[in-house]
Amino acid sequence: MTTHLPLRHLLLALAVVAIWGSNFVVIKYALDTLPPMLLAVLRFAIAFVPACFFLARPAVGWRNLAGYGLFVAVGQFGLLYLAMRSEISPGLASLVIQTQVFFTLLLAVRLAGERVLAAQWLGLALAVCGIAVIVLHTDGTTTPLGLAMVLAAAFSWACGNIVGKRAGRVNMLAYVVWSSAFAVPPLLVLALLVDGPERVTTALVAADAGTWVAVLWQSFANTLFGYGCWSWLLARHPAARIVPMALLVPIFGMGASALLLAEALPGWKLAAAALVMAGLAINLFGPQLLRRSR
């Protein structure tokens, strides 16, 4: 691993978090034509094929791959897409989904007996205050149901993190690609049950070039390019240099939604974002600062 972060690597990391953040606007655009579960089916089917022909299956059990695919693809993105159809704005969705960090922490405590430091409890408390601000200001663009669905999506993502951690050190891009194979069948069943074959067929026929570009962006830019570059960077630099940049995802998400979708950013929304982001930052940097101060 290198001891410094070259400019081109920094720019690559910023490009990845910009793609991940602005992707919430792309999701909203695609949902104008495609039902949520159908969008998820297309995203993960295209992410699996043709990448599976170029990436070897990681050396983990099929059960582990299936668990990750079900939690992340079906649980996380299925719920996120459902919520974003009409129950929550893209900017707030990009912020609330980051609570997966705290769900992961609490699951690690419960399942692996990991110890939580005082700084991490403080970070969790700030994030909860931020979510409380959102609850008190739900309006026509964000509803309590939408907020609950995105929190449930964040919890499912956290479950996927625990499953992924048990896989050990693997090629994360290959891991995501091969786990997608287990996501497509249940998502397709859900699409047919929730929306019906006629609605699915109608949506596919109605999809124009812009819709398909949005779908391909989900699969190639957000999944393959994003995870591929992130894994490449983590293999060459300490995690402490790369991971903190993920804090910029909600910034790009809320900024892109305000710029491209005219999502309002009133004071309460900025305050909620500040609380959640502060909580995330304390959770990330707090333990390191405490160790250095001793």
Side-chain angles (χ1 to χ4, degrees), residues 171-282:
N171 182 326
M172 194 60 192
L173 177 58
Y175 187 71
V176 170
V177 166
W178 280 90
S179 68
S180 297
F182 295 92
V184 173
L187 285 170
L188 181 58
V189 171
L190 287 172
L192 295 174
L193 290 176
V194 173
D195 297 298
E198 183 177 351
R199 174 73 180 93
V200 169
T201 303
T202 301
L204 289 172
V205 172
D208 57 11
T211 302
W212 285 110
V213 168
V215 172
L216 293 175
W217 185 264
Q218 297 288 294
S219 302
F220 290 103
N222 193 65
T223 302
L224 299 181
F225 176 82
Y227 279 102
C229 291
W230 199 253
S231 298
W232 186 87
L233 288 166
L234 286 173
R236 286 159 177 79
H237 301 283
R241 295 183 184 274
I242 303 300
V243 173
M245 295 187 192
L247 292 172
L248 296 174
V249 170
I251 303 299
F252 282 108
M254 299 186 76
S257 188
L259 181 64
L260 301 175
L261 300 179
E263 178 179 343
L265 294 177
W268 68 264
K269 193 175 291 188
L270 296 176
L275 287 167
V276 174
M277 294 295 292
L280 291 170
I282 289 174

Side-chain angles (χ1 to χ4, degrees), residues 31-137:
L31 289 173
D32 288 340
T33 302
L34 301 174
M37 292 302 173
L38 177 58
L39 175 58
V41 169
L42 294 173
R43 169 181 176 157
F44 290 101
I46 296 173
F48 179 64
V49 180
C52 63
F53 296 111
F54 301 94
L55 294 170
R57 181 176 71 86
V60 299
W62 290 107
R63 181 179 297 180
N64 184 276
L65 282 172
Y68 187 85
L70 291 174
F71 279 124
V72 172
V74 182
Q76 178 193 344
F77 284 101
L79 286 168
L80 179 64
Y81 288 177
L82 280 172
M84 287 187 62
R85 177 170 54 179
S86 60
E87 302 291 341
I88 193 169
S89 65
L92 280 183
S94 71
L95 175 68
V96 176
I97 196 70
Q98 301 306 318
T99 57
Q100 60 87 15
V101 171
F102 299 106
F103 284 125
T104 302
L105 176 66
L106 295 175
L107 284 173
V109 172
R110 179 68 177 86
L111 299 177
E114 294 188 12
R115 179 170 169 264
V116 182
L117 300 177
Q120 292 173 307
W121 284 119
L122 174 60
L124 175 59
L126 287 174
V128 169
C129 290
I131 298 300
V133 171
I134 298 174
V135 171
L136 295 173
H137 292 87

